[in-house]
Every structure is written in C-alpha cells, then in structure tokens.
Amino acid sequence: MATTTPPITAPGIGSGLDVNSLIDQLVAVDKQPLVNLQQREASYQAQLSAFGSLKGSLSTLQSAMQGLSTVASFQQVSADVGDTTLLTASATSDVAAGTHTIDVQQLAQAQHLRSTTFTDSTTPVGTGSLAFEFGTYDSGNNTFTLNPDQSAHTVTIAPGSNTLSGIRDAVNAADIGVSASIINDGSGDVLVFSSQNSGTANSLKVTVADDDGTNTDGAGLSQLAYDPTAAAGSGRNLSEIVAAQNANVVIDGITVSKSSNTIGDALEGVTLNLLKAGAGPTTLTIATDTDAIQAATQKFVDAYNSFTTTLKNLTAYNADTKVAAPLQGDSTALSIERSVRSVLSLSVAYAPGKTAALPDIGITLQDDGTLAVDDTKLQQVIQDQPDLIGRLFAEAGTAADDLVNYRAAGANTQPGTYAVQLTQAASQGRLSGSAAAGLAITSGSNDSFDLTIDGISANVTIGAGTYASADALAAELQSRINGNSAFADDGIGVTVTASAGVLSITSNRFGSASKVGIGAGAAADNLFGSAPATIAGVDVAGTIDGLPASGSGRTLIGASGSAVDGLKLDIVGGSTGNRGTITVSQGYASRLQSLIDGFLGDDGMLASRTDGINVTIKDLQQQEQAVNDQADAAEQRYRAQFTALDQLMSSLNSTSTFLQQQLANLPKITGSSSK
C-alpha cells in the first residue's frame, strides 16, 4: 500500500497573512505576566545569594571567635634561652615572669643491649617468649627494682619468627616501648634491643621462656636473656653497649635529675628541651608575650570589621544610582546586625565585683560600625593587667578554692559568681587483701588470676619467682596489670600498694564506675587471701549556687534549667563543706561565638529565612511554568485557528477563481443594429 505523504503546510499561504508574526505577538501578550514573575524570582535569587554571603561572613567570624574563646589565647608568654644550642624552652600561659640560670650537666640516654654475633639475619635463634620489664639496677648490678609506672610486656616468638629478623619484627610489631634492630658488625649480624624511654628507671630486664626447656643458658631463645644480677651465660646473655642514665641539670643552684631530656616538671609551667651538656650555664627569661596578646586582640577587631563591612554592603542603599543592595531593609539582616552590636555594648564581669568593657582596653566603636584600636592604651593594659585581656574576650572561670578547677561552661550557663558546697568527695574503687601475700610465685600454679577493673575483665599473669618483699611483688603486679592490653586499650590503670605485706589494688578512675574485682583460685588466694574486701568508688556530690549538682567522677555539673546549667567543675581534693565561689565570665569572643552558633544552626533565623525564600522561589517557578504552559496551549489554539482560516480563505479563493472562470466563459450578449 502506498504511503501518503502529508501535505506541506506553511502558515499564511492560504490567507496571505504573516501568521507567525501574528502568533508571536499574541503569545507575547499571553506571556506578559511571566516578566513580572521572573523579575520577582531574580530579586529573591539575589536575596538568597546575599544571605549566602552573609552566612559565609558569619562563619568566618565564628571561626575567628573559636580561636579566641579561651583565656590561653590572650595569656601567652615567651621563654627565651640565652644559648639555644644548650636547650630550648616553652612556657604555659600562667607561669610567673622571671629569669633563671640553667646548667645542663648530663643528658639522659636510653639503654641499648646487644646479642652475640650471628651468621646473618636468617639464622634461627629459638622459639618461646620474651618478657620485657623496666626498672632500675643498683650500682653493682646486684638488684633490679621494677618501675611500677612502666608496664611489663611479653612477646611470643613463634616457629615462623624464630630467626634474628623474625624476632626483630615481632618485638617492633608488639609496640611495647622496646625497639629492635639488626646491625652488621663486619663479621655477622647483631640483634640490638633499645629501651624507647631514657633514664635509669627504664633499664631493661629480659626474661626468656624457652621452648627447649632451659631459660637461661646460651642456647636457643635463652641467648636473648638479660638479667645483670645473674652470671654471664646463665641469664646475663646480652651485653650492655649503652647504659641508661638520667639528665642532670642545675636550675638556680638546685640539681635536678630526670629520666628524659624533655623536662616539664622542674620549673612550674615551663618545659625544657635539653640539647647539649657540659658547656656551662645559660639564662632562661620568662616574660609576657605582649606582641602575641596584641595580635590576638587585633584578630578580634579585624574579624569583626570584616563582618561589619560585608553586612553593610549587603544592606546599603546607593543614593547616587538609586539602587538598593539585596538585603536593604531586610528584617533578618537588621536583627543580626543589632544582636551582634549589642554584644559589644555590654560589660564583662571578669571577677567578683569587677567589670570591664572594650573602651577600657582602647577599643572603640566608630560611626561606620567598625572597631578601632588605640594601640598605646592597649599596650598599657597588657603591661599592667595582662589577665584582663583574656577574661574580657574569652569564656573563663575563676575559683576561690585552689582544689576546685573550672572545666567548662554549658551553652546555657550565665555569667556570675556562684557558691560551691561539697557534700561528698569522689573516691576510687579498691580491692584489699585479707591476708599477707605469698611471695613465692610458681609458673602454672599461682601466677595467673582473673581481674575486673572498671567493668573490663582480663586474665593477668605475673612473673614466676620468689619476691624479696611485698613491695616488689606489688610493683610487679602493677606493671603486669597496666601492661595488659585489655585494660590499656580502654585507658584503664591501677596503683598496687603493700601495707604490712597485704596487697591493695586501686583503680586510677574516680566515681561510681570505678570498681575492682578478682576471680577465685589459687593465685587470687595466694596474693589477696581468701576473703579480699572490695569498695566501689563514688561520684562527687554537692551544690552550685545552692542547687543540687549532678556528679560524674570528680566533676560537679550545674543543675539543668538554672543559671549554672551545664557548668562543670572538677573537685580534685579537699574536704566537704563550703568550697568558696566560682566566678564565670563570658567575654566578647565567647558571646559572639554562642550568638553566631544560634544564627547558623539548623533551627536558626538564617535557616528559617533562606528556607522561606526557597519556598517562594519554588512557588514563583511553578507560576512561571503555569504561564508557559498556558501560553503554549494558546499558541496551539492560535495556530489551529489560523490554519482553519487558511483553509477557509483557500476554499474561498478557489471558489472565487472558479466563478471568475465560469463568468468569463458565459456567451457574450450583443445588441442588433437598427436600420
């Protein structure tokens, strides 16, 4: 069947009219409301973009305020050393200014032990386990005193790791405070064990459990045993190539001996990094870092001025061009501007009965809304009252009691001075033996027991042997417990003490979560007797501002819904009863940060405003689509109508032509002439 080709149509052929132009004009009239809708949408899009810029500016100001919301940002000190080849130093913000004389006489160093020479790193040594302990040897290497603050660790040497290189890798992988390396001395390979911590109290003792059944001879894994109190070749099978030693430094005429070359507990608030010994004394000068404090203050001013400039540009009206910025007259933008400015108009109560404001340190508000700094006045305040600057800008708390430490304020904590009362001090969980501990520990008999600390349970194994005293056994037990990965991985630690031969284990945690429990068995009975006593820890309890506070460990937390809502204080000691007052101040940076957090929050005014604009834009776009749809439908109608007109005109034209032809073909009527 032949396909019928549709006729080619061209609007206006039949009528002779410029149909496309007529339709375009008619459709343009139908789309006239679209222009207004698009203009309105463009205006809202401009507002949305402007709010994006405002949000970005607020975020930048917020970031700047976060860096200035702690007192430490404004309480910086400098620690200048006369000869920096001998040592360097740093100081905390609360250290007292002054000059000190320091003489580094000896640097600390870590112990290094070496094996005999093996053919190469693939030489088999033996299998079993290596137990590493840290402690101090006396001057004659006759006794070894365990360091209870360093955990003992055991490394298993499996058959697949029994070579020199395998043992090295196993020790390093265990990450136990000992590093292992292999050095070629020209005739073969030597295994070296190095304590990763310097100081005499971190000397190594290596005890071997050799699978060949003999643990101290010169064969198998026993070749790596090291106990200087034993005879050479019978437990003292490694050689010391570097002895452990402490750092010795004289500070203002007082000799100080420390295990590390980094000393942070000699001069309060000062950390010394020792570099070279024996070159004579040098000076250390501690002073207020006025440049850093002024820079932090200027950072606040610059951040605020940048925000103010951005906001001004977004809300301005140009009288010359008669063009308004996108947010000119916008209630949300004006509300943000008023709220931010109101913060700067407030005074800050930085201590009981003492307040200050920005003009007191030389910062004033200008007519254009920006801040200006009087550097001379600011420098004078930094010199006279360096603590004032930090408290004027940051969140801070000052306790009258030295054993009450301000920790943090909550989002709803109000500035003010509040009384602190303690009704119960926090305590630690403890287990105490019911009989003196047996000092003879036999492997596989009374050397292992189950222990639960702060809700975590594990099996603990201590070294076999006869201990010289209950104190020595306590040190071994503490080292083994704290070195147990089940406890160490959860940050759990204990202190083990001995009194009249009776052992006690005390959790290092405070509060109701602090508990110590022990399983039954021969090892438990030998160490703690048949009926050890357990005492669970309790949380601190008391009031802040006269209202009951909740306790968590040693932290007292202000009552919800009160002026001290969320205020956290750490009670680190002292008795129950009146513990003085805590003064909470919220400086300008801290207040602005809290204010901006509210603006930028998911439920804040910016989110609400932009959500509303987006809804309006979506509605306008729907209206625009409706107008377009209506115009498209009208265009189809117009084209259909003009097509019908074309067809009608074409038909009429055809009829006219036909009639003209017919009329032209009619016989002509001629008249007869008269004679």
Side-chain angles (χ1 to χ4, degrees), residues 304-305 308 341-342 344-345 358-359 362-373:
Y304 177 82
N305 287 347
T308 297
R341 284 197 179 189
S342 68
L344 302 188
S345 66
L358 287 175
I363 299 177
T364 54
L365 189 66
Q366 306 302 292
D367 292 339
D368 63 357
T370 61
L371 296 175
V373 182

Side-chain angles (χ1 to χ4, degrees), residues 117-120 182-190:
T117 302
F118 292 82
T119 302
D120 56 42
I182 295 175
I183 299 175
N184 188 287
D185 65 359
S187 59
D189 286 343
V190 174

Side-chain angles (χ1 to χ4, degrees), residues 288-540:
T288 299
D289 192 342
T290 58
D291 290 341
I293 296 174
Q294 184 154 10
T297 306
Q298 189 64 50
K299 180 180 178 181
F300 172 87
V301 171
D302 292 344
Y304 177 82
N305 287 347
S306 176
F307 161 75
T308 297
T309 301
T310 298
L311 184 59
K312 182 179 180 180
N313 291 336
L314 293 173
T315 58
Y317 176 79
N318 191 319
D320 295 332
T321 62
K322 294 182 172 49
V323 174
L327 300 183
Q328 199 270 331
D330 183 86
S331 60
T332 299
L334 293 175
S335 177
I336 290 174
E337 181 181 30
R338 285 193 298 268
S339 298
V340 171
R341 284 197 179 189
S342 68
V343 168
L344 302 188
S345 66
L346 300 174
S347 295
V348 175
Y350 64 92
K354 296 182 179 180
T355 62
L358 287 175
D360 295 326
I361 62 171
I363 299 177
T364 54
L365 189 66
Q366 306 302 292
D367 292 339
D368 63 357
T370 61
L371 296 175
V373 182
D374 182 339
D375 291 331
T376 301
K377 186 171 184 177
L378 177 61
Q379 279 290 342
Q380 190 63 50
V381 175
I382 293 174
Q383 291 289 345
D384 298 341
Q385 298 175 276
D387 289 347
L388 172 61
I389 307 296
R391 296 189 181 279
L392 197 58
F393 286 99
E395 173 190 283
T398 305
D401 190 320
D402 290 339
L403 297 178
V404 176
N405 294 338
Y406 169 80
R407 183 173 176 182
N412 298 319
T413 304
Q414 301 300 310
T417 299
Y418 308 103
V420 180
Q421 287 278 339
L422 192 66
T423 57
Q424 175 178 277
S427 65
Q428 299 158 277
R430 185 174 71 254
L431 179 144
S432 299
S434 59
L439 302 182
I441 305 298
T442 303
S443 178
S445 174
N446 64 351
D447 65 334
S448 179
F449 61 94
D450 292 329
L451 183 66
T452 300
I453 307 169
D454 304 344
I456 302 297
S457 299
N459 183 265
V460 177
T461 300
I462 58 177
T466 300
Y467 289 83
S469 64
D471 287 333
L473 182 57
E476 165 73 7
L477 184 57
Q478 177 175 317
S479 178
R480 295 287 182 170
I481 294 172
N482 291 339
N484 191 295
S485 60
F487 300 132
D489 290 349
D490 278 284
I492 293 172
V494 301
T495 300
V496 182
T497 57
S499 177
V502 178
L503 299 179
S504 294
I505 302 177
T506 303
S507 168
N508 291 344
R509 176 179 292 181
F510 283 80
S512 56
S514 178
K515 300 175 183 178
V516 181
I518 194 169
D525 291 348
N526 178 66
L527 291 171
F528 298 98
S530 60
T534 59
I535 300 176
V538 298
D539 295 315
V540 66

Side-chain angles (χ1 to χ4, degrees), residues 81-165:
V81 177
D83 187 347
T84 55
T85 65
L86 303 180
L87 72 147
T88 60
S90 60
T92 59
S93 59
D94 56 352
V95 68
T99 301
H100 306 275
T101 300
I102 299 178
D103 185 5
V104 182
Q105 298 185 335
Q106 175 177 287
L107 294 179
Q109 62 186 26
Q111 185 187 44
H112 296 249
L113 306 174
R114 61 158 289 171
S115 69
T116 57
T117 302
F118 292 82
T119 302
D120 56 42
S121 63
T122 63
T123 303
V125 181
T127 59
S129 64
L130 301 172
F132 293 89
E133 295 177 295
F134 303 87
T136 305
Y137 293 101
D138 66 1
S139 59
N141 284 338
N142 296 313
T143 61
F144 175 78
T145 302
L146 195 68
N147 181 351
D149 296 325
Q150 285 280 34
S151 303
H153 299 275
T154 299
V155 179
T156 299
I157 306 301
S161 302
N162 67 335
T163 63
L164 210 62
S165 60

Side-chain angles (χ1 to χ4, degrees), residues 237-306:
N237 302 332
L238 297 176
S239 302
E240 183 180 71
I241 52 177
V242 177
Q245 70 179 30
N246 285 347
N248 292 332
V249 57
V250 179
I251 303 174
D252 295 337
I254 299 173
T255 300
V256 176
S257 180
K258 298 292 180 179
S259 63
S260 172
N261 290 318
T262 300
I263 302 174
D265 57 354
L267 272 172
E268 185 175 6
V270 178
T271 298
L272 304 176
N273 299 298
L274 310 184
L275 303 175
K276 186 172 68 175
T282 187
T283 58
L284 168 65
T285 302
I286 307 295
T288 299
D289 192 342
T290 58
D291 290 341
I293 296 174
Q294 184 154 10
T297 306
Q298 189 64 50
K299 180 180 178 181
F300 172 87
V301 171
D302 292 344
Y304 177 82
N305 287 347
S306 176

